[in-house]
Amino acid sequence: MMASRNQNKPPVNKNRVVDEAPGDKRRKTGLGRAIHSTSSSRGREVLTPVNNPKEVSVAPSETEVVEFTKEEVDALLNDKFKGKPFDPKGKQEWTTGHIKRLKVCIKWFQNSLHELAEEKDKLREMLSSSERKCVETEAVLKIKEGELNETISKLETNVASLKESLAKENSEKLDALDSHKTEKEARMASEKTQDSLREELGRAEQNALNANEKVKTQEDMYKRLQEYNTSLQQYNTKLQNDLKAATDANKQVEKEKSVILENHSTLRGHYNMLQKEFTSAIDSRDAAVKQKEDAEKEVDKLRRDLQQVKEDRERQLLLVEELTSELRTCKECTGRTVAEVDTLILKSTALEETCSSQREQISSLQHQLASATQKLKMADLSSSEIRTEFEEQKRIVSDLQDRLRDAEIKLLEGENLRKKLHNTILELKGNIRVFCRVRPLLPDDGPAAEATVTFPSSVESAGRGIDLYQSGQKYPFTFDKVFDHNTTQQEVFMEISQLVQSALDGYKVCIFAYGQTGSGKTYTMMGRPEAPLQKGLIPRSLEQVFQTSQALAVQGWKYKMQASMLEIYNESIRDLLSPRSSNGAEGGGTGKQYTIRHDADGNTCVSDLTIVDVCSIREVSNLLQQAAQSRSVGKTDMNEHSSRSHFVFTLRIYGVNESTEQQVQGVLNLIDLAGSERLSRSGATGERLKETQAINKSLSSLSDVIFALAKKEDHVPFRNSKLTYLLQPCLGGDSKTLMFVNVSPDPSSVGESLCSLRFAARVNSCEIGIPRRQAIKPLDSRLSCG
């Protein structure tokens, strides 16, 4: 019965809270658009509004696709029985029809959540494809970086060859100077040719000056080439920086995928940084263009120099012809000048070869300049393409983030409404809600060869299912909520905060913890009040009660609160707030016999029990501390400080609204049961043995009551123990009841954990009365029990 009831519930996300935004009167709730888009190809019949229940008599069949609006769901939730108050048959028929309509609505929500999950998977696939494109872009950038490095190495090789040619020209210049000295000595030896040789020497010196000027020109050109090479290196550095920035951007995109909402501002800052880097790249490109224009000017200048060299060569040819004629004349006078003329011819030939090599170098530099210009254009085009592709990827990522955010909001809205519908069905059925909590492994636990507890991740069981393994066999269980070992105290309290609020609204609320010793019952209920993050359900519930009561004062509400604390020890009631309760005697050492009474309204009173008026959380904290010091604890094999009694904290709340004259009475019962382990596991002897037997007897009686309620027997044995008789209004009355079953993942405790989970499953299948609000007489006429 329990499995069929919990089987179709969608998972609960405990970390998400969405404020319901007001919408249009015909606004679809949750994921109406998703339902419409997925079911447009099939026939669909819209469920008529349920503002008038008489118009809806039969729920739609399972084959029909039903769509709900927000107003229809609200009307369905707020629909009340309008028949005669003493017409149980009519009320039962109305309740049956109402539950059918609620099931149809829940089924619609489950379909919507399933389709939303599929859409979310598609969005994730699109995001993965965009990431792959970013990786491909990065690979293309690396290839372009390699090409630019090759170009730089080629330019460096050309610079080295230019250096070698310059060294050759310097050596040739030195050789020409040596030969000039030799010629000068020869001319001085020859008196007849002295004047002609002096003229020749002057001409040779002029040629040497011209050659020096050409060498300086070549050196200037070499310096310019070095500057151009430096600028190319700087441009390559900037391109590498751009590549690094693009790589960083891709990594940033990967980080933003996991924390999309939280790093939105970081993405904007990164985008501004990329804009700045792109602007700097454009500035670098403009500088490179300017350098190219300067290089073209230098080429033009070199061309003019080349033209000047050609004119000098022609003058040198004329000079050679004149020297040849003079040598013919001198040859008749002396034979020694022939060698000198031959030497001059060789020099002229060498100068011609030098001019030819310089022309080839100029042509090579022109080709290199054209190649560099072409590569610069290609780099500009590549930069533009990369920027366009980056903008497109950024737009796609932004669109995916928006769609993912919308889908999550819709999921939260649907989950919120699903919880509300689920709570409404539970109230109509009257079932006891059961939460399961698994504590983490502790250093004192035995070695875990394999996990004894796992949590299914399917859509139907996520957050509600738990699987226990014993001897290789799997035992699956499903409850209203399952908390794993990583759940914090605050997250657990958020799930029961609305239940605590019901006590202020005038309902009777009971929350009790069940499980073996050492499974975390006391930590769940009390925690460590001195540590804010480790407070348990009792201190957190009291804080919420006092804070909410103060907030409701502006609406005219005034509250009076009374607290009492007791423990059931060895089937005897002990008053933990009695001044002499610490001596260990029953009734606080006063010899009092406490009696449990239930009045006609279902209220429970314990005679002679100390009831304290409380006005602040500090007063209640002091009372809790006093009760903790008086509670019976002992050492067993299961725990060093094991609770040997059932602890019951009761807060009675009386509220009156002076403006509306509305008065309510609420009761909040918070119970920490003793350990449920078997006698053989506890290892108790002597006094501990007697305590364990009393604990097991009371828990066995609790189990008998649960079995009788599950089977709907006429007689339920509430009076078999003090515990079950005290809990009678919670288990068989009109109270909102929640049970925490605490489980230890210790492999040595797997048997006890299995027993606890089976017992919790039976509790979850029990049906009790429908909770009702308690209205009371004015506060002045209210008398305390006993």
Side-chain angles (χ1 to χ4, degrees):
M1 180 177 181
M2 174 204 64
S4 62
R5 182 173 58 82
N6 295 325
Q7 200 170 18
N8 296 322
K9 298 178 186 173
V12 178
N13 191 332
K14 60 189 174 230
N15 293 324
R16 295 177 177 169
V17 179
V18 176
D19 295 331
E20 294 184 3
D24 298 333
K25 292 184 177 179
R26 295 300 300 167
R27 183 174 66 86
K28 298 290 188 295
T29 60
L31 307 174
R33 292 195 299 271
I35 295 296
H36 179 75
S37 60
T38 55
S39 62
S40 59
S41 59
R42 299 175 297 178
R44 179 176 61 192
E45 180 178 335
V46 180
L47 184 65
T48 57
V50 295
N51 294 330
N52 187 0
K54 296 180 179 180
E55 297 178 1
V56 182
S57 58
V58 181
S61 63
E62 297 182 354
T63 59
E64 293 176 338
V65 179
V66 181
E67 185 181 38
F68 287 84
T69 63
K70 180 177 178 61
E71 290 75 13
E72 293 170 355
V73 175
D74 291 339
L76 187 60
L77 292 175
N78 297 325
D79 190 14
K80 303 295 181 181
F81 178 65
K82 298 180 181 179
K84 296 181 180 179
F86 301 102
D87 186 8
K89 183 177 181 181
K91 186 174 182 180
Q92 182 178 5
E93 293 177 354
W94 175 88
T95 303
T96 303
H98 191 61
I99 291 174
K100 288 182 180 180
R101 293 192 293 273
L102 288 172
K103 287 182 178 179
V104 172
C105 187
I106 289 175
K107 184 175 181 181
W108 171 69
F109 267 104
Q110 288 174 346
N111 294 333
S112 303
L113 290 173
H114 179 69
E115 292 171 357
L116 263 180
E118 293 179 353
E119 184 178 358
K120 189 174 182 181
D121 294 338
K122 292 180 182 179
L123 292 175
R124 286 178 179 170
E125 292 177 359
M126 294 176 66
L127 188 59
S128 300
S129 64
S130 64
E131 290 176 358
R132 288 195 294 271
K133 290 182 180 179
C134 290
V135 172
E136 294 174 358
T137 304
E138 183 179 356
V140 172
L141 289 175
K142 288 183 179 179
I143 294 172
K144 292 181 180 178
E145 180 184 6
E147 294 177 353
L148 290 174
N149 290 333
E150 292 178 359
T151 303
I152 291 171
S153 62
K154 290 180 181 178
L155 291 175
E156 290 177 350
T157 304
N158 294 335
V159 170
S161 64
L162 288 175
K163 288 181 179 179
E164 292 177 358
S165 63
L166 180 61
K168 290 181 180 178
E169 289 179 359
N170 289 333
S171 63
E172 290 176 356
K173 181 178 71 174
L174 294 174
D175 293 340
L177 291 174
D178 293 339
S179 63
H180 172 68
K181 290 180 180 179
T182 305
E183 292 172 0
K184 185 176 181 181
E185 291 175 357
R187 284 195 299 273
M188 291 176 67
S190 179
E191 294 180 355
K192 292 183 180 180
T193 59
Q194 186 176 7
D195 294 335
S196 60
L197 289 175
R198 283 178 181 176
E199 294 176 356
E200 183 181 355
L201 179 59
R203 294 170 183 171
E205 288 178 350
Q206 184 66 30
N207 292 334
L209 291 174
N210 293 334
N212 288 334
E213 290 177 357
K214 293 178 180 178
V215 168
K216 290 180 179 179
T217 302
Q218 293 294 330
E219 289 178 351
D220 293 338
M221 182 177 66
Y222 174 70
K223 290 180 180 179
R224 294 189 187 98
L225 289 174
Q226 281 184 334
E227 293 175 355
Y228 179 69
N229 183 38
T230 303
S231 66
L232 287 177
Q233 289 178 351
Q234 293 176 351
Y235 179 68
N236 179 57
T237 302
K238 291 178 180 178
L239 289 177
Q240 289 177 349
N241 291 335
D242 293 341
L243 177 61
K244 184 178 179 181
T247 305
D248 293 338
N250 290 334
K251 293 180 179 179
Q252 188 68 19
V253 168
E254 292 177 356
K255 293 178 181 179
E256 290 173 349
K257 178 185 69 174
S258 61
V259 284
I260 293 173
L261 297 175
E262 298 176 354
N263 295 337
H264 187 62
S265 58
T266 305
L267 180 62
R268 288 182 177 175
H270 186 63
Y271 170 73
N272 294 332
M273 183 183 69
L274 290 176
Q275 288 282 16
K276 292 179 181 178
E277 290 177 353
F278 180 72
T279 305
S280 63
I282 293 176
D283 295 337
S284 301
R285 183 194 64 182
D286 296 337
V289 172
K290 186 176 180 181
Q291 291 176 359
K292 180 187 73 174
E293 293 174 356
D294 295 337
E296 290 176 353
K297 293 179 181 179
E298 291 293 334
V299 169
D300 294 336
K301 187 175 181 181
L302 289 174
R303 287 175 179 173
R304 290 193 296 271
D305 293 339
L306 178 61
Q307 185 65 28
Q308 185 67 29
V309 169
K310 289 181 179 179
E311 293 176 358
D312 293 339
R313 185 176 65 82
E314 291 176 358
R315 287 196 298 271
Q316 287 176 1
L317 290 175
L318 293 175
L319 179 60
V320 168
E321 290 177 359
E322 292 176 358
L323 289 174
T324 302
S325 62
E326 288 178 358
L327 285 174
R328 287 196 188 98
T329 305
C330 292
K331 201 172 184 180
E332 295 175 355
C333 301
T334 176
R336 290 179 299 178
T337 58
V338 175
E340 296 177 357
V341 171
D342 293 337
T343 302
L344 292 173
I345 292 173
L346 292 174
K347 290 180 179 180
S348 176
T349 303
L351 289 173
E352 289 179 354
E353 291 176 354
T354 300
C355 292
S356 177
S357 65
Q358 289 178 351
R359 284 196 299 271
E360 292 177 356
Q361 290 177 359
I362 290 171
S363 177
S364 176
L365 289 174
Q366 288 177 345
H367 288 302
Q368 291 178 4
L369 180 61
S371 176
T373 303
Q374 185 65 23
K375 288 181 179 179
L376 180 62
K377 292 180 180 179
M378 294 297 293
D380 292 340
L381 293 175
S382 176
S383 176
S384 177
E385 291 175 356
I386 291 172
R387 181 176 180 275
T388 304
E389 187 173 358
F390 174 75
E391 293 291 338
E392 180 65 20
Q393 293 295 329
K394 186 175 69 174
R395 186 188 62 78
I396 292 174
V397 170
S398 177
D399 183 54
L400 289 175
Q401 290 174 352
D402 293 339
R403 294 175 64 184
L404 184 59
R405 188 160 45 249
D406 293 340
E408 289 177 348
I409 291 173
K410 292 175 180 178
L411 277 173
L412 288 174
E413 289 178 351
E415 181 63 21
N416 221 7
L417 191 54
R418 189 202 65 79
K419 284 184 178 180
K420 192 173 181 182
L421 290 170
H422 177 62
N423 290 333
T424 303
I425 291 177
L426 287 178
E427 289 181 358
L428 290 172
K429 286 185 175 181
N431 286 59
I432 301 177
R433 300 178 67 187
V434 176
F435 287 178
C436 176
R437 187 179 189 185
V438 181
R439 70 161 173 84
L441 280 171
L442 301 178
D444 297 336
D445 293 337
E450 59 182 7
T452 59
V453 176
T454 59
F455 305 95
S457 58
S458 62
V459 176
E460 295 181 356
S461 301
R464 299 188 306 110
I466 179 173
D467 296 334
L468 185 69
Y469 293 88
Q470 183 183 30
S471 302
Q473 186 174 358
K474 175 181 175 183
Y475 296 92
F477 295 93
T478 304
F479 301 105
D480 295 283
K481 183 66 180 177
V482 174
F483 302 100
D484 59 21
H485 57 278
N486 293 321
T487 307
T488 63
Q489 296 280 66
Q490 176 64 21
E491 291 171 344
V492 174
F493 176 71
M494 288 301 296
E495 289 293 333
I496 65 132
S497 60
Q498 294 299 320
L499 196 60
V500 175
Q501 176 65 35
S502 297
L504 276 172
D505 295 338
Y507 290 91
K508 287 186 292 186
V509 176
C510 178
I511 302 174
F512 65 95
Y514 179 90
Q516 69 181 82
T517 299
S519 60
K521 301 185 303 300
T522 303
Y523 179 77
T524 298
M525 299 304 295
M526 285 298 298
R528 297 184 178 89
E530 67 278 3
L533 296 180
Q534 298 186 29
K535 291 180 181 179
L537 298 184
I538 293 178
R540 290 178 186 270
S541 299
L542 296 174
E543 288 177 358
Q544 176 178 330
V545 167
F546 282 103
Q547 290 173 0
T548 307
S549 63
Q550 293 173 2
L552 292 174
V554 298
Q555 301 178 12
W557 282 97
K558 291 185 179 180
Y559 288 94
K560 177 183 177 182
M561 301 182 191
Q562 296 177 335
S564 63
M565 302 180 200
L566 62 86
E567 69 173 352
I568 301 176
Y569 176 74
N570 286 347
E571 280 300 302
S572 299
I573 295 177
R574 301 179 67 228
D575 185 1
L576 297 178
L577 298 183
S578 176
R580 301 178 60 188
S581 62
S582 59
N583 62 7
E586 182 182 348
T590 61
K592 293 181 180 179
Q593 296 295 326
Y594 296 98
T595 304
I596 302 173
R597 291 188 237 166
H598 303 300
D599 60 17
D601 295 330
N603 298 315
T604 301
C605 296
V606 179
S607 63
D608 296 328
L609 188 67
T610 302
I611 299 176
V612 181
D613 291 336
V614 291
C615 300
S616 66
I617 184 63
R618 179 176 297 179
E619 295 179 2
V620 180
S621 298
N622 294 333
L623 295 177
L624 287 172
Q625 186 176 3
Q626 176 184 345
Q629 294 174 354
S630 303
R631 190 176 180 188
S632 302
V633 296
K635 180 179 178 180
T636 67
D637 291 349
M638 301 292 291
N639 200 344
E640 184 73 19
H641 299 283
S642 174
S643 300
R644 312 306 297 158
S645 64
H646 307 299
F647 172 74
V648 180
F649 171 86
T650 302
L651 183 68
R652 295 174 177 84
I653 304 171
Y654 308 103
V656 57
N657 193 319
E658 295 178 349
S659 60
T660 62
E661 298 183 355
Q662 184 181 8
Q663 302 179 36
V664 293
Q665 171 189 346
V667 180
L668 179 61
N669 292 307
L670 301 172
I671 303 170
D672 180 15
L673 299 178
S676 62
E677 67 277 358
R678 290 162 290 183
L679 184 62
S680 58
R681 284 280 294 163
S682 66
T685 58
E687 187 67 23
R688 299 283 88 84
L689 176 60
K690 181 180 178 182
E691 294 171 353
T692 304
Q693 289 174 342
I695 292 170
N696 289 343
K697 178 183 177 182
S698 62
L699 292 178
S700 178
S701 299
L702 179 62
S703 178
D704 294 339
V705 168
I706 296 298
F707 276 120
L709 289 172
K711 294 179 181 179
K712 298 182 179 180
E713 296 180 355
D714 295 335
H715 173 69
V716 180
F718 287 110
R719 293 181 176 269
N720 286 1
S721 72
K722 293 286 181 65
L723 175 64
T724 55
Y725 193 46
L726 185 67
L727 295 180
Q728 180 176 352
C730 304
L731 299 175
D734 54 0
S735 173
K736 289 188 175 183
T737 304
L738 171 66
M739 170 182 169
F740 269 95
V741 55
N742 294 82
V743 176
S744 170
D746 185 4
S748 62
S749 302
V750 65
E752 298 294 336
S753 298
L754 183 59
C755 293
S756 298
L757 291 174
R758 285 173 173 170
F759 176 73
R762 295 189 188 101
V763 172
N764 204 15
S765 64
C766 292
E767 294 184 4
I768 60 178
I770 299 175
R772 57 186 175 87
R773 203 172 189 184
Q774 301 293 315
I776 62 172
K777 299 178 181 179
L779 293 178
D780 295 338
S781 62
R782 179 67 186 176
L783 297 177
S784 60
C785 299

